[in-house]
Amino acid sequence: MIGKSPRSVAGQVFLLQVVLVVLLVLCAVLALVLQSKRDTTTEARRRSIAVAETFAHAPGVLQALRLPDPSKVLQPMTEAGRKGAGVDFIVVMDTHGIRYTHPLPARIGERFVGNIAPSLAGKVYTESVHGPLGREVQATVPVDDARGKVVALVSAGLKVKNVTSALDRQLPIILGAGAVALVVSTGGTALVGRRLRRQTHSLAPDEMSRMYEHHDTVLHSVREGVLIIDADGRLVLANDEARRLLELPADVEGCVVRELPGLDAATLELLGSGREASDEVHFAMGRLLAVNQRPTDHAGCPGGTVVTLRDSTELQAVSGRAEAARERLELLYDAGLCIGSTLDVVRTADELARVAVPRFADFVTVDLADPVLHGDEPAPTATDMRRVAVSGIRDDHPLYEQGRLIDFLPSTPQARGYGAGHAELVTDLATADGWHAQDPKRTRQIMDYGIHSLITAPIRARGVVLGIANFWRAKQEPFDAEELSLAEELVARAAVSIDNARRYTREHALAVTLQRSLLPRALPEQNALDVGYRYLPAQSGVSGDWFDVIPLPGNRVALVVGDVVGHGLHAAATMGRLRTAVHNFSTLDLPPDELLQHLDDLVGRIDQDEACPDRPGEIMGATCLYAIYDPVTRRCVMARAGHLAPALVEPDGSVTFPDLPAGPPLGLGGLPFLTAELELAEGSQLVLYTDGLVEDRARDLDEGMELLRGALAGHPGRPPEESCRAVLEELLPERPGDDVALLVARTRALPADRVADWDVPRDPAAVSGMRAAVSARLEEWGLSELGFGMELVLSELITNAIRYGSDPVHVRLIRDRTLVCEVADGSSTSPHLRYAATTDEGGRGLFLVSQLAERWGTRYTPHGKVIWAELAVPDPGEFSGPAVFPDLSEFPDL
């Protein structure tokens, strides 16, 4: 056959094969030559880059560059490196391109031939240039110091002729390999042609039959249905598995596929369309079939399609169960993230209701025992249940509304689940007679609405049932037994959070109750200030903030604001102790700095007495601001211990923060407290507050102070109560994170005609003159009925000042809510009430003062002391007869 004429068909085919082989071999040789040239050039560039980078990072290069003559050290190094690396040159240059080294020493100091700009920018740059050695392939890299700055450049490379000579050495090998490939390919082509001719003309009929039998056996034995459909849409072949899956009749081959009996329209449409399909799932003959379809009109095959069918019914069932399990795990995971974000009972219940809709239920209602909402223990039965959360896919449902108080009957699933502590499943509400008995009218509405299935799960934590969670379905399939455990798990995750919120509510309520019991329930009556106040406990826990308004002798009033560091019951109890101490110290009528000094000593003693051995050095810490306002002089004296300065609203509406010396917080000890004295115009507003008003995580202190200024400015005539409301609305969020105490006091001034004062000489004869002057002034004030008692009190106090005191002696009468008599002298000695013996000639005067006056006392000033006494001022219609005074028979010496 090989020797046939080239004009024969076999010869022409052979020659054509030889030509193709020769062309392929020549193309391969050309490709190898080009590839070898490219690889050689690439290898030259790679070697140049590697040598240049290695030398640039070699030890000693940076040190040599710093020498006065780098070439002396670098030239031997580069020559040794060049010879060892097999490159033609290694050149080191400065950043201006001036060479330090070169294989030709005469070229040292000349400018480098090439582009150095990319390398100065920190890049590796390769190029082909005409240099001192001829045509060169070179790579230039930067030399960086320790700070990453380029201090020099290194270039290495090869001469092009050396690269070309390498290619020339490889070319004979390539051509020889091409020739061998040509011979082998031509011989192989001849052998393959002869073999194909032999196989084509020698194939026996039995061999062809055997081949068909094998094909038929495989086709009908596989567990996958096979259909072959021609271009006309007729079924050409169907194997046994396809007949079984589609329940095809025996004579089905040759039928039009769109007319096959028993198949649904979607499956028939796919088989008749001829389009490609990959694992499309179709329902046919009660099975889920995965259908694959491919066309056969390629590579010379006749037109049509091949269809494979695979029964995936069981796989789909397993996948469905796996998908349901995955969805349940996702629901529980989301529940763990969403439920319990706050320590609020109602909000936690609402989070439970929302997370289950619509993935688990169409509607969810949560009912808690009413005592749980207040932090108390729940009742043993499902009575007094408060609906605290309702969530659903729609809002027009007939379920009990949120906030309703419900008493579940014992026959209901809710009551049974609450009592037993286990969840109950009602698959069909229409047959649940016990549930219908709860509210027949509403249950009919629920059934008419379409709600058909219920799971009720008790909310149980730490062995106590707190309430019931109800899961309702209307649109979804009824609940089944498998979903009962999911409901229990879902509610169990929420139960712990609800119980934690309940316990927190109880502790918070106790702390708030304690704190409010320690704060003033009502402000005392006084005429010096119009006062408004607010106290807001923090949502997250009570603190130690407090305030007070304390009337002082002489119609003065003390204003106090303080803050104990920390939260909880301990802070609230400590606040109560400090507030009591301030009241006690104020009875001594101490100036603000001395009172804070005593309070500082007290806090220090408390820290020592309550020191925790596990946390040594821990102190309680507190701040306080104490101010005293005198309506007679309109002066205010104040001092602070680590507290924020007050705000002052002038009568013109401007707001300032007085420059009050900042003392250390209470409890540090050893540092003095300083006072500041201000003269306040009548109608001014003094605003005292704790840091919770102006400090917040979302803003700094200066921003909070400016917000306070803005809330107060421009409203000089606004009542203090309205100022409190405006300040809180402007500065506080809906749920403040810290306690807030706010005190707004608008000053009053006592009219001059209500004050009378005299200087008294130190002469006993002056006492009678003072009695007459006081009686005349009381007559002007319409208080003549108090004249006798006031004369006796005044006589005793002036006599003591003249006898035991020192100059100057001064008397002042103040008429306000009470009649105040003050006798001041320059001595610091104070009289004391004592029991006089029957033989004593004196010592009974203060008994007389205590009998006639409502109260009396002593206060010290920088220049001496003041003895004061207060007499009650009667109402205008109180006296209808002569005044009645105490029996003075026990004082025979008067």
Side-chain angles (χ1 to χ4, degrees), residues 486-678:
L486 175 60
E488 291 178 332
E489 178 66 22
L490 187 63
V491 173
R493 293 180 178 236
V496 176
S497 298
I498 292 176
D499 188 54
N500 290 338
R502 176 185 70 91
R503 291 169 175 263
Y504 170 78
T505 301
R506 180 177 59 192
E507 297 296 332
H508 185 264
L510 289 175
V512 170
T513 301
L514 171 62
Q515 188 175 33
R516 289 193 180 277
S517 68
L518 297 175
L519 291 171
R521 300 188 178 183
L523 296 182
E525 296 181 353
Q526 46 82 30
N527 288 343
L529 299 166
D530 289 329
V531 180
Y533 66 94
R534 290 288 190 278
Y535 173 75
L536 297 178
Q539 296 294 328
S540 59
V542 297
S543 182
D545 293 13
W546 91 91
F547 67 93
D548 240 321
V549 178
I550 306 173
L552 298 177
N555 285 52
R556 296 168 304 132
V557 177
L559 301 175
V560 190
V561 170
D563 184 5
V564 176
V565 176
H567 292 79
L569 292 175
H570 178 69
T574 303
M575 176 271 291
R577 298 172 68 177
L578 295 183
R579 178 172 177 258
T580 302
V582 170
H583 270 273
N584 292 335
F585 292 145
S586 66
T587 59
L588 302 177
D589 211 346
L590 299 174
D593 54 340
E594 293 186 21
L595 185 141
L596 291 181
Q597 190 65 54
H598 286 291
L599 204 61
D600 180 66
D601 295 339
L602 174 63
V603 173
R605 290 196 299 272
I606 293 176
D607 286 337
Q608 292 178 1
D609 295 340
E610 299 183 359
C612 179
D614 298 333
R615 291 175 291 180
E618 181 178 348
I619 62 174
M620 177 182 62
T623 65
C624 182
L625 176 85
Y626 188 82
I628 298 176
Y629 174 68
D630 188 347
V632 178
T633 62
R634 293 185 291 104
R635 302 193 70 82
C636 181
V637 182
M638 62 185 76
R640 58 174 174 152
H643 205 83
L644 296 173
L648 178 62
V649 184
E650 302 288 350
D652 60 357
S654 62
V655 179
T656 60
F657 294 94
D659 187 13
L660 180 61
L666 299 175
L668 296 183
L671 297 176
F673 297 96
L674 302 178
T675 61
E677 185 172 0
L678 305 176

Side-chain angles (χ1 to χ4, degrees), residues 191-232:
L191 293 176
V192 170
R194 179 180 294 179
R195 184 180 182 87
L196 288 175
R197 285 192 297 272
R198 185 174 62 250
Q199 290 177 347
T200 302
H201 297 286
S202 302
L203 186 62
D206 57 339
E207 293 177 344
M208 298 290 293
S209 299
R210 188 165 55 252
M211 183 183 297
Y212 174 78
E213 290 173 357
H214 292 168
H215 168 268
D216 192 63
T217 300
V218 172
L219 180 66
H220 293 285
S221 299
V222 295
R223 296 293 296 172
E224 188 168 304
V226 178
L227 300 176
I228 299 179
I229 304 171
D230 62 14
D232 298 329

